[in-house]
Amino acid sequence: MADLPRFCIFGDSHYACLKQAEVQGLVDVSGVELEYWGHVGGRFLYLRAQDGAIYPKDDFTAMRFAKFNAKGRTFLPAADFDAILVMGARVYIWRLFQRVLTLLGSGPLVSEGLVRRILTDDLRRHIGYQLARGLAESGTARILLAPTAYYTEGAVHLATAVPPEVAALVPDRVPGFWRVLEEVAAEDGITLLRQPEETVVQGIFTGVAYAVDGHERKQDYEHHNAAFGAAVLARVMPIVRGVARRD
């Protein structure tokens, strides 16, 4: 295995769907040395990026992250890997897209320059994005970022936030929003991944087939299942397998 690319999946609770996809055999993760390093979202407030690595700010957080890593890592150095996927990591784009669409629907006074500025500033303010940027600055690993997916369809309070006049803008405008995010991320040395198209419905929601079990009862429209994780990894794995291992 010495010549295989070293690959780390780093994220918050949203990375669980990737692990589930692997465990359930829904996706082929062969051809790499794979590690996971992550924890639920609240612990992200206690992480910082420095010198090409992510460090917990306190021992308790370090031990919590180490618990879910096969090697017991208390911090994450980019130099130990050839590719790192930052999954979810509290990088939320649904509310951002909804907000910009609402502004555009209110009249012709929102310029393309302002749209780009809002998208750029919002992306770069997310803690998970800042951590990904810190890893990328080392220049030692290819950094991929999959933002937190769209909310699952069917929640009334989310549907009412996208009234017909806003929904009508989705097909023409949302692909452009993604292009802006991709360009901004590329400037920071990050490959930003769009949500897999087959998981998207109505252009801005995730299909119910990718919801977690009992999502309505739990009122959990944010997290997604192993099938969603498999869709993400099906796109990621060919990229990672193509990354040259540094020795």
Side-chain angles (χ1 to χ4, degrees), residues 96-166:
L96 170 61
F97 285 3
Q98 184 270 340
R99 178 160 55 93
V100 177
L101 288 166
T102 301
L103 284 173
L104 289 168
S106 66
L109 301 180
V110 182
S111 68
E112 292 303 312
L114 179 58
V115 168
R116 185 179 185 88
R117 179 63 182 270
I118 293 171
L119 293 169
T120 298
D121 289 352
D122 193 277
L123 178 65
R124 285 178 169 157
R125 75 171 176 81
H126 284 91
I127 179 63
Y129 185 85
Q130 293 168 13
L131 295 173
R133 193 176 184 179
L135 291 171
E137 286 175 353
S138 73
T140 56
R142 180 163 183 183
I143 307 302
L144 312 174
L145 169 63
T148 301
Y150 298 143
Y151 292 112
T152 300
E153 63 180 326
V156 174
H157 68 288
L158 297 171
T160 56
V162 189
E165 63 273 17
V166 173

Side-chain angles (χ1 to χ4, degrees), residues 16-239:
C17 67
L18 306 180
K19 182 66 173 178
Q20 291 166 1
E22 179 196 356
V23 171
Q24 294 179 30
L26 300 182
V27 65
D28 179 10
V29 296
S30 65
V32 301
E33 293 182 17
L34 175 59
E35 284 187 42
Y36 292 86
W37 199 77
H39 203 273
V40 295
R43 286 290 105 194
F44 272 62
L45 299 176
Y46 302 93
L47 297 177
R48 60 184 173 86
Q50 181 179 328
D51 299 328
I54 296 175
Y55 295 94
K57 296 179 180 179
D58 57 68
D59 290 341
F60 176 78
T61 301
M63 292 302 102
R64 296 303 296 173
F65 275 83
K67 179 180 179 181
F68 296 100
N69 174 261
K71 296 183 178 179
R73 293 180 184 271
T74 56
F75 69 101
L76 184 66
D80 279 8
F81 299 94
D82 303 294
I84 299 174
L85 169 63
V86 179
M87 177 67 182
R90 305 185 71 80
V91 181
Y92 296 107
I93 59 167
W94 190 92
R95 292 286 183 188
L96 170 61
F97 285 3
Q98 184 270 340
R99 178 160 55 93
V100 177
L101 288 166
T102 301
L103 284 173
L104 289 168
S106 66
L109 301 180
V110 182
S111 68
E112 292 303 312
L114 179 58
V115 168
R116 185 179 185 88
R117 179 63 182 270
I118 293 171
L119 293 169
T120 298
D121 289 352
D122 193 277
L123 178 65
R124 285 178 169 157
R125 75 171 176 81
H126 284 91
I127 179 63
Y129 185 85
Q130 293 168 13
L131 295 173
R133 193 176 184 179
L135 291 171
E137 286 175 353
S138 73
T140 56
R142 180 163 183 183
I143 307 302
L144 312 174
L145 169 63
T148 301
Y150 298 143
Y151 292 112
T152 300
E153 63 180 326
V156 174
H157 68 288
L158 297 171
T160 56
V162 189
E165 63 273 17
V166 173
L169 299 173
V170 169
D172 290 335
R173 300 305 308 233
V174 167
F177 296 170
W178 278 110
R179 283 193 295 273
V180 171
L181 298 189
E182 289 167 340
E183 291 166 4
V184 171
E187 292 173 6
D188 294 331
I190 299 167
T191 300
L192 187 136
L193 305 174
R194 301 190 188 197
Q195 180 166 336
E197 191 62 35
E198 67 270 25
T199 70
V200 179
V201 296
Q202 303 170 48
I204 199 169
F205 289 97
T206 300
V208 70
Y210 300 96
V212 294
D213 289 343
H215 74 284
E216 291 181 323
R217 174 177 52 82
K218 300 172 185 175
Q219 290 295 289
D220 184 354
Y221 293 89
E222 181 175 328
H223 295 91
H224 298 96
N225 61 19
F228 183 85
V232 173
L233 283 174
R235 182 178 178 190
V236 168
M237 293 309 301
I239 297 174

